[in-house]
Amino acid sequence: MKQGRGDLMGKKKKKQQTKKSHLPFRLNVVFFVVFLLFAAIILQLGVVQILNGEEAQEEINRTENTTTNIPVPRGEVYDRFGKPVVDNQPLYSITYTPPKGVQPEDRLELAHKLADYMDMPYENKLTTRDLKEYFYLNNREEIMERIADVDTEGMENGDVYQLQLDSITEQDIADYGDDIKEVIAIKKELDKAYALSPQIIKNVDISEEEYSTVAEHLAVLPGVNVTADWERSYPFETTFKNYLGNITSRNQGVPKDDLDYYMSLDYSRNDRVGISGLEQEYEEVLRGTKEKVQYITDKDNNVVDSKVIREGQRGKDLVLTIDMELQQKVDQIVREELAAAIQAAPYDNRNLENSIAVVSDPETGEILAISGQQYNRNIEPGESRFTDVSHQAVYNAYTPGSTVKGATILTGLQEEAIYPGFGINDKDLILNDVPKGSYTPNIGYVDDIAALQQSSNVYMFFLALRLGGDYSPSYVKDSLNLDNDTFDKFLYNFNQFGLGVETGVDFPYESTGVQGDDPENPGNLLDYSIGQYSSYTPMQLNQYVSTIANGGDRMQLRLVKEIHDPSSTNEELGPIYKDYAPNVLNQIEMDPSYIGRVQEGFRRVFQTPRGTASSIFSKQPYAQYNMAGKTGTAQTEKWVPKEEDGKYRRIPNLLNKTLIGYAPFNDPEIAFSVMTPHVGEDAVSTFNVSNKIGARIGQAYFELKEQRAKEDDTSSDKEE
């Protein structure tokens, strides 16, 4: 037993030794294989370096990759019903894409060839420098001789070149004929091109014959191509053009002041960009995506291959909130009523020039129309009687008068300076022996609703006094001692409605209005309460009345409703890229019942006998539309330039006539604000100019709505 066990242990030990002897052998095999692989790699690298190195280096030197961007058309613009407002009109275009390293002499030679196949207008386009540069390219040796005596060593190349041009006299370039000037004009366009980037040589007034002739000779015109270009077209002509904005031309390119910014965003210097209005506001989506092409050039800068590495896509399309048919009607209404007011009292209204109106949907903040018209008294034959000044709706601020009294009442209720139904006897308030009363004197007893209906200034004065801590019922006051935070209370509550703050409208700029001077003056506080202190834009007034109309939501005002991807067909819009849902900027921090009282006051202004606008709105055809709102009259002045010295003179005793409103009262679909500044104080017959504009806007909206409903019914019947 012991001997057998020993044999077994000996065999086991021998077997383990055998396994250990096999392990180093396998590792040696692995190491040997790895050695052979490394040796092969080193050998291959040696072959490439020693035998093929020169050939590989030549290949590297032979080619170079260059990427360039090719512009695409901008996106188009449609109104809320899909009618084209801005589109792209196709144009014949002749372009030039220069290779790398092209020389001025090459471009001059190409210009001579192109002049045989195309016409290039040159009148008012050529400078003396252009003519001298042409002379220089054709007379280099002579120019060098002219400056031979000048020591140019150490001078910058640009300075030397300018010296050469200065040596060219007016007589040298005086005899250039039309043919030569045409060549120079073509070369001037060729010089604008950057290497491997297309530059338009001509895209205006190209005839079919000219286009086809150039196309037939492309083989002898290196870098030249015939293609299609575009320019902005406006089916509604100048309507709403102030808000659509403008783009630069190819000659202008990107604005120089913002060159670095645009270049960082992959623009080219000659790209057309939006510089105002919605073209500027929505530049990022309207610009589109450029086609990116990679060119492979040899050592002589010849293009040997190219490939598209990114497909181009034209810009995305905008769908506006604007109803262009309503817009045209509002423009016409403002023009007609403004002209009627001026013609009815030409002397009294000699300072009246313009009127502005904004129409929106109070539930969504979508702007339906913006109009601003200026009446031109002295016009030359062929000039228009009216100028579109609709930009004043966001740029210009005016004192609004009593239209702000709704905000004043709500401030008083919210701050508990007054309570629902609080009443006073409206008679003149005597402050420092100076009477301050309502436009209609001694109205009598009014509560908060009647104060709106009859536009009581005195009610607002007492509200402001109570807000400031003065609860004395006396109508005679030698001085006012109000709390320091009284003005801040007014300011905070007015801001909630959009008065004195930005409306959020999607436009490059809007004014926030102008706050009056010296808010610490108690007398100014009384003026603030009746709209005679701070000034607001018609756009702010529209947001304010919309907030009251919808029950307390301050909606962001918008000009663009949707953004669409480009359509694959020309028959319909592409898929929605972005949809702008209604945006509530803030909800009024007030009891809804308080807003209800102001709404009732606004209803009475338009619909009841003692209402300040009832003479128009309570009668047909306007009464059927159940409108509500508030009138306003503010004393103002105007500064006009003196003809003799260019300085300004003050014209006092003018009025701003303002109107805000909405309809229908019980379920508002539209809200409107109208501002007519600088009405003559004596022009009693034209005091209602803003009221008439507002009434007709309401009528136009509902008539258009009814007309469209009938058209839809007719279309449905035909389909059935």
Side-chain angles (χ1 to χ4, degrees):
M1 290 292 290
K2 290 182 180 179
Q3 186 179 0
R5 188 181 297 114
D7 292 340
L8 289 173
M9 291 179 66
K11 290 180 181 180
K12 184 175 181 182
K13 185 175 182 181
K14 185 177 181 180
K15 188 175 181 181
Q16 289 174 345
Q17 290 174 347
T18 303
K19 286 185 178 181
K20 289 181 179 179
S21 67
H22 281 286
L23 187 59
F25 175 76
R26 292 176 181 174
L27 284 174
N28 289 334
V29 171
V30 172
F31 290 149
F32 181 71
V33 171
V34 172
F35 169 77
L36 290 178
L37 290 174
F38 273 105
I41 292 172
I42 293 171
L43 179 62
Q44 183 64 31
L45 289 173
V47 170
V48 172
Q49 181 68 26
I50 298 170
L51 298 181
N52 300 326
E54 184 176 351
E55 181 181 348
Q57 186 62 46
E58 287 179 355
E59 178 65 17
I60 293 172
N61 293 336
R62 187 183 74 84
T63 63
E64 182 179 349
N65 292 338
T66 303
T67 301
T68 188
N69 295 319
I70 299 177
V72 294
R74 288 176 75 81
E76 298 175 347
V77 182
Y78 299 83
D79 87 336
R80 67 186 296 111
F81 295 110
K83 296 178 181 177
V85 180
V86 183
D87 58 20
N88 297 318
Q89 179 180 347
L91 299 172
Y92 284 137
S93 179
I94 300 173
T95 66
Y96 173 54
T97 306
K100 298 180 68 176
V102 66
Q103 299 300 310
E105 292 82 3
D106 301 326
R107 291 194 291 268
L108 179 59
E109 181 182 355
L110 179 59
H112 276 285
K113 291 180 180 179
L114 272 170
D116 293 334
Y117 308 126
M118 62 177 284
D119 296 322
M120 176 65 77
Y122 59 82
E123 293 83 0
N124 303 320
K125 292 184 177 181
L126 299 181
T127 65
T128 300
R129 184 182 179 90
D130 297 329
L131 303 180
K132 286 186 175 184
E133 287 181 342
Y134 178 81
F135 184 90
Y136 168 79
L137 290 175
N138 287 282
N139 302 275
R140 280 180 182 269
E141 294 183 3
E142 180 182 343
I143 298 300
M144 295 303 293
E145 291 177 2
R146 292 184 183 185
I147 66 167
D149 296 336
V150 180
D151 183 9
T152 59
E153 187 175 353
M155 293 180 63
E156 298 287 342
N157 291 337
D159 295 334
V160 174
Y161 183 59
Q162 186 61 53
L163 183 65
Q164 293 167 340
L165 292 182
D166 290 341
S167 70
I168 301 172
T169 66
E170 294 290 337
Q171 187 176 357
D172 291 332
I173 60 176
D175 296 331
Y176 287 155
D178 293 343
D179 292 344
I180 295 299
K181 290 181 178 179
E182 185 177 49
V183 170
I184 297 172
I186 294 174
K187 181 184 176 297
K188 186 174 183 178
E189 295 301 319
L190 298 178
D191 288 342
K192 296 176 182 178
Y194 296 92
L196 302 178
S197 294
Q199 166 70 27
I200 292 176
I201 306 170
K202 184 180 179 183
N203 65 353
V204 178
D205 298 330
I206 299 178
S207 65
E208 291 187 16
E209 180 182 0
E210 185 178 6
Y211 185 83
S212 60
T213 301
V214 173
E216 291 170 3
H217 295 86
L218 293 180
V220 296
L221 300 170
V224 175
N225 196 10
V226 289
T227 182
D229 192 27
W230 54 270
E231 68 175 358
R232 285 309 217 189
S233 175
Y234 303 92
F236 287 89
E237 299 179 340
T238 60
T239 301
F240 201 63
K241 184 66 171 60
N242 278 350
Y243 286 86
L244 297 174
N246 293 298
I247 62 173
T248 60
S249 66
R250 282 203 181 274
N251 287 335
Q252 294 171 321
V254 300
K256 292 181 180 179
D257 292 342
D258 299 318
L259 179 61
D260 292 341
Y261 167 76
Y262 284 108
M263 297 298 284
S264 70
L265 296 177
D266 208 21
Y267 282 79
S268 299
R269 292 174 183 269
N270 59 355
D271 281 346
R272 286 170 280 189
V273 301
I275 53 175
S276 64
L278 295 175
E279 293 276 17
Q280 178 182 353
E281 182 75 11
Y282 287 91
E283 169 67 23
E284 183 178 349
V285 294
L286 287 170
R287 64 176 291 201
T289 303
K290 292 183 177 181
E291 181 176 292
K292 190 179 287 291
V293 180
Q294 186 180 74
Y295 293 97
I296 302 175
T297 58
D298 61 18
K299 61 181 180 180
D300 296 322
N301 293 316
N302 297 314
V303 177
V304 296
D305 193 14
S306 67
K307 61 179 180 180
V308 176
I309 59 177
R310 183 182 69 195
E311 295 288 344
Q313 186 182 58
R314 77 166 179 84
K316 294 177 173 56
D317 298 327
L318 304 182
V319 174
L320 303 178
T321 63
I322 299 295
D323 178 347
M324 288 302 287
E325 195 170 357
L326 178 63
Q327 175 70 49
Q328 289 179 311
K329 290 181 179 296
V330 173
D331 283 343
Q332 181 179 358
I333 289 168
V334 175
R335 285 194 295 265
E336 290 177 353
E337 293 300 333
L338 180 60
I342 291 173
Q343 293 165 8
Y347 180 78
D348 292 337
N349 277 330
R350 60 192 181 279
N351 295 295
L352 173 59
E353 293 181 338
N354 56 301
S355 187
I356 308 103
V358 180
V359 188
S360 72
D361 181 339
E363 298 294 336
T364 64
E366 294 176 356
I367 298 173
L368 305 178
I370 308 175
S371 181
Q373 302 296 322
Q374 177 176 293
Y375 185 89
N376 303 315
R377 287 175 171 78
N378 301 314
I379 58 174
E380 300 294 332
E383 290 183 343
S384 174
R385 176 64 70 183
F386 292 93
T387 300
D388 188 330
V389 292
S390 56
H391 60 276
Q392 293 185 7
V394 290
Y395 287 1
N396 289 20
Y398 307 91
T399 47
S402 298
T403 51
V404 304
K405 288 177 178 175
T408 300
I409 291 292
L410 286 168
T411 299
L413 290 170
Q414 178 64 21
E415 301 293 340
E416 299 183 345
I418 61 171
Y419 50 83
F422 172 80
I424 66 162
N425 182 28
D426 181 302
K427 64 179 183 178
D428 285 355
L429 175 69
I430 308 300
L431 179 59
N432 293 325
D433 297 327
V434 177
K436 292 179 71 70
S438 300
Y439 181 75
T440 301
N442 301 319
I443 294 175
Y445 181 83
V446 289
D447 62 5
D448 49 339
I449 294 177
L452 291 173
Q453 175 195 27
Q454 301 176 60
S455 200
S456 169
N457 288 346
V458 176
Y459 191 95
M460 308 303 153
F461 295 155
F462 271 94
L463 184 155
L465 293 173
R466 292 169 66 87
L467 186 66
D470 184 351
Y471 288 88
S472 169
S474 173
Y475 282 84
V476 180
K477 296 181 181 294
D478 295 329
S479 62
L480 299 178
N481 184 23
L482 304 181
D483 295 341
N484 293 332
D485 64 347
T486 308
F487 182 83
D488 291 336
K489 291 178 182 178
F490 263 128
L491 194 64
Y492 173 76
N493 285 283
F494 274 49
N495 287 173
Q496 288 194 67
F497 294 96
L499 297 173
V501 295
E502 292 184 350
T503 66
V505 65
D506 45 339
F507 201 67
Y509 171 80
E510 70 163 319
S511 169
T512 56
V514 180
Q515 181 177 304
D517 297 328
D518 192 13
E520 303 295 331
N521 186 330
N524 287 338
L525 184 67
L526 301 187
D527 290 339
Y528 188 99
S529 70
I530 61 170
Q532 290 278 174
Y533 178 70
S534 292
S535 60
Y536 309 113
T537 66
M539 191 70 71
Q540 289 174 315
L541 291 174
N542 185 276
Q543 188 176 64
Y544 154 60
V545 72
S546 296
T547 305
I548 291 176
N550 67 35
D553 291 335
R554 183 167 78 97
M555 308 301 299
Q556 179 184 1
L557 295 177
R558 294 210 64 87
L559 291 167
V560 172
K561 182 181 179 70
E562 299 166 349
I563 301 175
H564 287 248
D565 284 320
S567 173
S568 57
T569 68
N570 292 325
E571 297 179 358
E572 57 185 13
L573 286 164
I576 291 180
Y577 170 77
K578 187 170 185 179
D579 181 10
Y580 291 101
N583 180 31
V584 180
L585 296 178
N586 62 269
Q587 292 182 318
I588 303 302
E589 300 173 1
M590 296 175 181
D591 190 316
S593 67
Y594 296 165
I595 298 176
R597 293 188 70 83
V598 172
Q599 290 173 338
E600 173 59 20
F602 280 10
R603 185 193 70 81
R604 293 188 186 185
V605 169
F606 276 24
Q607 298 184 24
T608 61
R610 302 190 71 178
T612 55
S614 62
S615 61
I616 293 176
F617 287 91
S618 66
K619 297 179 173 58
Q620 296 299 346
Y622 310 118
Q624 61 185 308
Y625 304 120
N626 193 20
M627 292 189 265
K630 185 73 184 76
T631 58
T633 301
Q635 293 179 338
T636 188
E637 59 189 20
K638 184 177 182 181
W639 291 85
V640 298
K642 298 178 182 178
E643 295 181 0
E644 58 273 14
D645 56 10
K647 296 182 179 180
Y648 284 79
R649 64 185 178 90
R650 174 177 170 270
I651 302 176
N653 303 324
L654 299 175
L655 302 174
N656 293 338
K657 300 299 295 183
T658 313
L659 180 77
I660 57 172
Y662 57 92
F665 168 74
N666 53 343
D667 187 15
E669 297 179 28
I670 61 165
F672 49 85
S673 59
V674 184
M675 170 61 73
T676 307
H678 306 139
V679 175
E681 193 173 44
D682 297 327
V684 178
S685 61
T686 61
F687 271 9
N688 288 329
V689 57
S690 290
N691 296 3
K692 291 177 181 176
I693 290 173
R696 290 185 61 187
I697 286 174
Q699 180 186 25
Y701 170 83
F702 288 107
E703 287 182 348
L704 198 54
K705 178 183 177 182
E706 183 179 356
Q707 173 188 328
R708 286 169 175 160
K710 291 179 179 179
E711 291 173 353
D712 290 342
D713 290 342
T714 303
S715 299
S716 299
D717 292 341
K718 289 182 179 179
E719 291 176 2
E720 293 176 0

